[in-house]
Amino acid sequence: MAKVMMVASEAAPFAKTGGLADVLGALPAALVRQGLRVSVVMPKYRGIHPAGIEKVMDDMPVFINNFRHRTDIWRLVRDGVSYYFVEAPWFYDRDGVYSSYGNDYMDNHLRFAVLSLAALGIARLLDRPDVLHAHDWQAALALIYAKSWYWNDPRMANVKRVFTIHNLGYQGRFGKQVLGELGMDGLQFHPEYLEFYGDVNLMKGAIVAADAVTTVSPTYAREIQTPEHGFGLDGLLRSRAGQLTGILNGVDYAEWNPATDKHLPAHYDASDLEGKAACKRALLEALGFGAEAHGRPLIGVVSRFAAQKGFDLLEPIGDELAKEDVTLIALGSGEPHCEWIFHDLAERHHDKVRVWHGYNNGLAHLIEAGADIFLMPSRYEPCGLNQIYSLKYGTPPVVRATGGLDDTIEESTGFKFGEYSPAALLGAIRHALQCWRDREAWLERMRLGMAKDFSWDRSAAEYAGLYRRLLGI
Ligand code: ADP
Ligand code: GLC
């Protein structure tokens, strides 16, 4: 039975800032259902101490530049998956995962170097895998160290290396001085490996070090090979096209299903939609709307507020949109400019627009259920999960036709626009609002979306196939 070790900086339900955590919370168990043995290595951030967790190793040897970083290893078996937690309080016992008050921690390169080396320690001393599968730049060093430091270690030499790009917009790029801090010498610092315009680029290093590279949708796999979406790595990705595949994410219907969702005041499914109206009422009340909002179509947003997500398109059309018979509820936090766009809109159109700043999982579920239309106008989107959740919740999404949004939404289940412009977005929203008024056709659209199946098993089978090909089994 092939053994896979995943390395990542977040996994639901233990730590989550975005979709990466959803993937690491569900894909491993789906791989177990495919007959693989799977472990996940992640940091033991502040507050992580689930029932059943046990310490499996004191003081795992993690050396960088001959300095021994103290790391204790904990383990929890969940859904047949071994989750290993790396305890290093100096690095992980902080109030944020990557940042505090909007500022990235200055030592993130070291924090995730320690994660990567601890994972390699676990791989060599506790639980040897056949495949080492690293996710995003935070885990990139696991592959880089495996290739550069452990290439002749008999316990690691035959381990295949897989790297998944969840978002090419975050590459782990640091000044050249971190090279020494990471224990690297000049040998790895050249344009064919870690160097990127004079800086160190960890994602680039992992793409080079990997035997196979994946990303989270087929369309994004094509897009990142173009200058428009390649963030400077498109040339490298084109040169690795033979090893690059797009495997669409799945979603976890145990967590995201309106028939069973524990965050909702009422439940529903395609055969009985009554509970959805109760969710809409609860959502409107939670945001302080009066009775006048109940008959209007309700647009929902749940998002990290980052430039990637395309909300700058809303800024010039906000007033036009507010003239429509519509309500807009947004949940999110992130970049100040994006927060301001919603804040400003809500202030000027308080009767129609409300925003909840912050992270709120319960409200995210209630918006998926209570909204009539979901909005995701991303500039680029590697996969995107919220639009897939919204299908299941009978909340047809308005999306820009890019990356995973294009792969998961059809004209029959949602509304797509192509050009990245405020006018195109406004046109798509108006079209959705118009369609909403035709009740029968709208119900049909909802039911088509609710019938779609994006469960993890199909994606897991593709990953299992990839591992098998790499291992020649
Ligand atoms: P990304 O990973 O780029 O942020 P995805 O659509 O893949 O985008 O995943 C986002 C995940 O994070 C979803 O599970 C979504 O519900 C959740 N999420 C995003 N912002 C918030 C928020 N402010 N509060 C609660 N959950 C959020
Ligand atoms: C990233 C992407 C998002 C994707 C998620 C999980 O955060 O921005 O599109 O769904 O990773 O793969």
Side-chain angles (χ1 to χ4, degrees), residues 289 301 311 313-323 326-330 337-355 357 375 425 429:
F289 282 105
V301 167
F311 293 112
L313 293 181
L314 211 51
E315 196 179 352
I317 59 165
D319 294 335
E320 279 299 298
L321 184 59
K323 285 186 195 151
V326 72
T327 307
L328 174 65
I329 289 178
H337 178 65
C338 192
E339 291 197 356
W340 179 86
I341 291 171
F342 281 105
H343 175 78
D344 179 58
L345 205 56
E347 218 168 60
R348 283 184 301 113
H349 304 285
H350 196 60
D351 53 330
K352 299 235 169 119
V353 182
R354 303 270 159 95
V355 55
H357 285 289
L375 180 60
L425 170 61
I429 295 177

Side-chain angles (χ1 to χ4, degrees), residues 255-271:
E255 273 298 308
W256 296 93
N257 180 349
T260 52
D261 190 328
K262 58 180 188 296
H263 301 285
L264 303 184
H267 292 131
Y268 60 94
D269 60 25
S271 66

Side-chain angles (χ1 to χ4, degrees), residues 309-311 313 375-379 398-400 417 420 425:
K309 300 296 177 179
F311 293 112
L313 293 181
L375 180 60
M376 220 163 148
S378 307
R379 182 185 287 270
V398 172
V399 303
R400 197 168 91 79
F417 65 101
Y420 191 78
L425 170 61

Side-chain angles (χ1 to χ4, degrees), residues 19-20 23 166-167 216 249 304 308-309 381-385:
L20 175 66
V23 174
H166 292 264
N167 196 333
V216 288
N249 282 336
R304 283 186 298 113
Q308 169 197 350
K309 300 296 177 179
E381 196 61 70
C383 180
L385 298 171

Side-chain angles (χ1 to χ4, degrees), residues 282-299:
L283 175 58
L284 287 169
E285 276 161 26
L287 274 289
F289 282 105
E292 74 290 347
H294 289 251
R296 299 199 299 242
L298 169 54
I299 300 179

